[in-house]
Amino acid sequence: MDRTGTHKHLPLVLFATVVLFVAGRIAGENLMQNNWSFTHWDHFPYAYLVGWWIGAALLAFALGRFLPAIAAFLESRRNTFGAGFLLLALFWVFQFDSFLYGGGNVELARVAQEADVILPWYAYGSTLIVWLLNVFWSLFDLHYNLAGVLAWKTMTFAAGAFAVVGAWKIAGLLTEDPTRRLGLFLILFFGPQFLLYLGFVGVAPVIAAVAVWTAWGITRLVHQPGAKNVAVLWGIVVLGVVLHASCLFLVPGAVVATIGSLGFVRDRESVLPVVAGGLALAAIAVALYIVADGYLLLRSYLLPIDGKPPHADYGLFSWRHMSDMLQTIFLLFPLGLAALLVLLRRVRWVLAHALPSSALLLFLGGVGALTVMDPVHSIVLDLPRLAAYLAPGAFLLAILVGDRKTENNISPAVIGLLAALSLVLPLSYLPAYTRIATAERYTTPYLDRHNAYYRTAGLAFRDAYFYRKELDEANRWDQDYDRKSPDYLNLSGITEFATGDRLDIALPSLNKLIARNPYWAEPRALYAKYMMEQGKYASAKPALDTALFLEPYNPAHHSNLYAWYRDQNRFDTALMIIEHAAQLFPNNKEIYTDLMIINYRTGRHDVAAALAEEIIEKYPTQAYPWVIKGFLAEKAGNLADAQKYFERFAGMAPDAPEAPQIRKRANDIYLKLSGRAQ
């Protein structure tokens, strides 16, 4: 390749990228049927668009013309720290003002609204950190929702700070030129993951920060081969997997860098590292689908080849999914066109050298993760969450235009222009992800065309508005959820028919609903309940097991499985199940009540008595401990106490199914004590 070719053509590609990006936004809804990534401007105020154009022009001019002067100013450590602090302050000012996107309302509930915080194996580290932060913020007597949101956002801003440092260190390893270092830093940091550092509620910012530091580990290892740096790189990857299992997508890039740093490879051009990385990527993909075949929780987050109900047309290689992926990449990483130009012109160099090939495999790992993941809340609501897996794209671009051996091909002005576009293009759609009113205008047309997503979107909007104390909007979305989610409407109708003893109508409809929504646990649990009420325990068991596989940390499913064994007088197994549930959910009063009852029924009266006292102390509104105390007092011959306890239960739970029987029992004791028993 001639040394000036990339330098000559790159500005033209950047110009074409901007033209395509802006033209797509202007065309908006008229572009094509599946057009969600091009419709932001249709819902933005005119003043913002004018401001964006002016700001884009000024920033492009400033970085293209004055990047050396800005870099010289930042040579001072004090100025560097000041700029970093200002950057983080801007993140706070322009943060997400809701937990609408990426299932943020579910993430908030996990650490702030549940009595027991479960640390799932696939997100153990990140959930543990947020739980500890939630405990910290709760010390200030904040409302539990506010403490939970602050816990998530604290982790997000910390991830952003780590990413700032990581991007700066990578840029320093790539070049010693202050001007290029600043430009590469801006490219690295304001990459596809930029949105995630604006107070996003969820684990995605941590995944993006781990990706940035993995890129640093790769760069350091390639420039300074050695066992210590190999250990550092793999330590970062392992830490990432502990934080969230999806960080496995970083493994192929780490494999390439590790093999490429070996003595028999690094001193000559070789495609062996990139081949090994490709095999690692393929092996992870195959293993993922093999494991998911027997693990419903994992399968619910993966896209099969032929799609899955209720989106049977949304398979791994379906046109709508491929269109979504292309739109996601072009929206979050439009400068990928510039990377593609350099990559195509230098493909032999990329494949034969450890650093660019590592960056390429790191990026392909992210694209692979993005492709196989099912956007369960819809692509428009899950976009920020998916952005984390494109974070290596900025690293690939920085390597391609800033590697020490090729940096003379790209002028500082072009580096500055790339840096400006890295920030300017995301700002063009920023309001749709940071302001809930704008988000509603933007997402509602998509939801109206794909109303199966109303089941999750309606709850997300409702919870986000409720957190902001905008109750009218919250109630409106609560009603829309009932009205516009066809599956929820079907489930409500099924429940009403079942309540009216019309199972002949309810059950066929429920079976169809389960077939359309195989990864929705609630209909399966409902089916099991109806089967158990009819004494059809064999038919209920598969539905119970599947619901528990799909939602292993839902206490209701554990209680239902316990009830299945209890109702068949298989008390030993029922006791084992409810004891396990009590370990998982030590603050669940219903589970502890069941544990107390089954201990009594299996003859463990001392344990039942102790549990009854514990429940009364912790949950004074629970009525059932008084029944157990009454039975125990009656067995001990303390009839007066038994009568008192039974009457206490009947007064606390007058509508309970057992209340008439317990009243009669109390009355019989009263007659016996009064000497009037027949």
Side-chain angles (χ1 to χ4, degrees):
M1 187 197 85
D2 91 77
R3 291 180 56 82
T4 61
T6 303
H7 181 216
K8 177 181 178 182
H9 293 101
L10 188 55
L12 296 177
V13 172
L14 294 180
F15 177 76
T17 299
V18 173
V19 169
L20 287 173
F21 193 85
V22 171
R25 260 101 300 262
I26 293 174
E29 294 182 353
N30 299 317
L31 190 61
M32 57 184 179
Q33 185 175 5
N34 186 29
N35 53 22
W36 58 268
S37 74
F38 298 100
T39 60
H40 297 92
W41 285 8
D42 296 339
H43 310 286
F44 286 3
Y46 180 74
Y48 182 85
L49 298 180
V50 172
W52 179 79
W53 277 104
I54 295 173
L58 291 176
L59 188 61
F61 175 75
L63 293 183
R65 178 68 177 81
F66 300 109
L67 188 64
I70 299 172
F73 174 78
L74 293 177
E75 279 294 282
S76 163
R77 179 168 295 185
R78 183 181 63 179
N79 292 343
T80 300
F81 278 110
F85 178 80
L86 177 61
L87 184 61
L88 296 176
L90 289 174
F91 287 170
W92 182 265
V93 172
F94 295 104
Q95 65 179 294
F96 282 69
D97 64 0
S98 76
F99 41 86
L100 170 66
Y101 286 98
N105 59 323
V106 178
E107 301 287 3
L108 175 63
R110 180 185 299 175
V111 299
Q113 298 172 358
E114 301 290 345
D116 304 299
V117 177
I118 300 296
L119 306 178
W121 67 266
Y122 54 86
Y124 185 89
S126 56
T127 308
L128 177 62
I129 291 171
V130 175
W131 174 69
L132 292 173
L133 289 170
N134 184 62
V135 171
F136 168 76
W137 286 112
S138 297
L139 295 175
F140 298 94
D141 293 326
L142 302 175
H143 187 276
Y144 59 86
N145 275 338
L146 177 57
V149 170
L150 287 175
W152 276 109
K153 292 194 172 186
T154 300
M155 189 173 74
T156 293
F157 290 124
F162 277 110
V164 168
V165 176
W168 186 254
K169 283 182 169 292
I170 294 171
L173 289 173
L174 292 178
T175 180
E176 297 176 354
D177 181 353
T179 300
R180 295 180 184 278
R181 182 174 66 228
L182 175 60
L184 293 179
F185 162 75
L186 295 174
I187 292 170
L188 285 161
F189 185 71
F190 293 108
Q193 77 281 7
F194 166 60
L195 282 175
L196 294 174
Y197 302 128
L198 302 175
F200 181 80
V201 172
V203 71
V206 175
I207 297 173
V210 171
V212 170
W213 277 94
T214 301
W216 169 81
I218 287 172
T219 309
R220 180 184 171 97
L221 174 59
V222 172
H223 286 166
Q224 302 171 22
K228 177 182 176 181
N229 287 336
V230 169
V232 168
L233 170 60
W234 284 99
I236 294 170
V237 174
V238 170
L239 175 62
V241 173
V242 171
L243 290 170
H244 199 275
S246 66
C247 285
L248 282 171
F249 83 93
L250 301 169
V251 167
V255 168
V256 175
T258 302
I259 296 177
S261 68
L262 298 177
F264 72 92
V265 173
R266 70 171 181 263
D267 295 329
R268 59 189 179 89
E269 295 186 355
S270 172
V271 297
L272 176 62
V274 76
V275 170
L279 291 175
L281 179 59
I284 291 172
V286 171
L288 196 62
Y289 277 91
I290 290 175
V291 172
D293 190 51
Y295 186 30
L296 287 178
L297 180 64
L298 178 58
R299 195 192 308 176
S300 66
Y301 287 99
L302 294 180
L303 272 175
I305 293 177
D306 53 354
K308 57 188 182 186
H311 309 287
D313 64 332
Y314 200 74
L316 194 60
F317 302 110
S318 67
W319 163 246
R320 188 156 71 89
H321 177 57
M322 288 295 99
S323 173
D324 281 350
M325 293 304 97
L326 290 173
Q327 289 185 75
T328 298
I329 294 172
F330 185 63
L331 180 68
L332 296 175
F333 189 41
L335 295 181
L337 292 177
L340 183 62
L341 167 71
V342 182
L343 180 63
L344 291 177
R345 295 184 65 86
R346 308 208 64 195
V347 63
R348 292 183 59 184
W349 171 76
V350 169
L351 297 179
H353 291 82
L355 188 57
S357 59
S358 297
L360 177 62
L361 263 295
L362 208 62
F363 177 64
L364 292 179
V367 171
L370 182 74
T371 303
V372 301
M373 286 184 177
D374 182 16
V376 292
H377 306 104
S378 80
I379 188 67
V380 295
L381 291 180
D382 276 347
L383 181 80
R385 176 177 66 87
L386 299 175
Y389 303 99
L390 289 180
F395 178 54
L396 176 62
L397 178 61
I399 293 298
L400 293 176
V401 302
D403 182 77
R404 288 176 176 176
K405 295 180 180 179
T406 61
E407 64 179 12
N408 292 332
N409 284 348
I410 312 296
S411 71
V414 174
I415 294 286
L417 183 58
L418 277 166
L421 293 178
S422 297
L423 176 59
V424 163
L425 296 182
L427 290 177
S428 70
Y429 50 80
L430 186 66
Y433 300 96
T434 57
R435 294 294 173 263
I436 189 171
T438 308
E440 181 177 346
R441 292 195 301 270
Y442 162 63
T443 58
T444 301
Y446 183 88
L447 296 173
D448 288 338
R449 293 196 302 269
H450 306 89
N451 58 7
Y453 289 116
Y454 261 100
R455 186 161 54 85
T456 50
L459 293 177
F461 273 107
R462 181 199 68 185
D463 293 347
Y465 274 122
F466 185 79
Y467 171 75
R468 291 166 53 85
K469 297 182 174 59
E470 298 179 20
L471 301 186
D472 290 341
E473 288 77 6
N475 290 333
R476 174 169 53 81
W477 272 99
D478 194 49
Q479 295 166 6
D480 280 351
Y481 167 70
D482 294 348
R483 214 172 45 239
K484 294 186 178 181
S485 171
D487 291 325
Y488 182 84
L489 284 173
N490 288 333
L491 189 63
S492 300
I494 289 165
T495 304
E496 291 178 5
F497 276 115
T499 303
D501 294 326
R502 293 302 308 272
L503 288 179
D504 58 320
I505 298 175
L507 287 178
S509 299
L510 186 57
N511 284 325
K512 292 178 181 177
L513 186 63
I514 291 171
R516 285 198 306 273
N517 299 272
Y519 303 104
W520 187 13
E522 187 176 351
R524 294 181 184 272
L526 198 60
Y527 178 85
K529 173 189 173 185
Y530 296 151
M531 291 296 99
M532 290 169 64
E533 289 174 351
Q534 298 180 83
K536 298 180 179 179
Y537 293 100
S539 299
K541 187 61 161 55
L544 287 174
D545 290 341
T546 305
L548 194 56
F549 276 128
L550 289 170
E551 296 179 349
Y553 303 116
N554 187 328
H557 301 327
H558 291 266
S559 295
N560 291 339
L561 186 62
Y562 151 79
W564 188 86
Y565 285 100
R566 179 203 63 198
D567 292 351
Q568 297 177 86
N569 297 325
R570 298 169 65 175
F571 296 132
D572 289 340
T573 306
L575 178 61
M576 180 182 66
I577 289 171
I578 206 66
E579 284 179 339
H580 174 64
Q583 291 174 354
L584 286 175
F585 311 103
N587 297 303
N588 188 293
K589 57 186 177 182
E590 287 79 13
I591 286 177
Y592 262 78
T593 299
D594 287 337
L595 182 61
M596 172 191 65
I597 293 171
I598 195 66
N599 270 287
Y600 173 79
R601 295 182 72 172
T602 54
R604 303 181 184 188
H605 294 162
D606 291 343
V607 177
L611 285 169
E613 296 296 340
E614 183 180 346
I615 294 171
I616 288 171
E617 182 180 353
K618 291 178 65 175
Y619 311 108
T621 60
Q622 282 292 90
Y624 283 96
W626 297 105
V627 174
I628 298 301
K629 286 175 68 69
F631 287 150
L632 292 172
E634 190 176 20
K635 282 183 176 293
N638 301 324
L639 297 184
D641 286 344
Q643 179 195 353
K644 180 177 65 175
Y645 295 148
F646 288 146
E647 288 177 347
R648 182 74 175 267
F649 168 80
M652 293 179 67
D655 298 324
E658 302 86 354
Q661 178 186 353
I662 298 301
R663 285 195 192 95
K664 182 179 182 304
R665 199 168 190 128
N667 188 58
D668 290 344
I669 293 174
Y670 171 77
L671 294 175
K672 184 181 293 187
L673 291 174
S674 301
R676 291 180 290 174
Q678 297 296 320

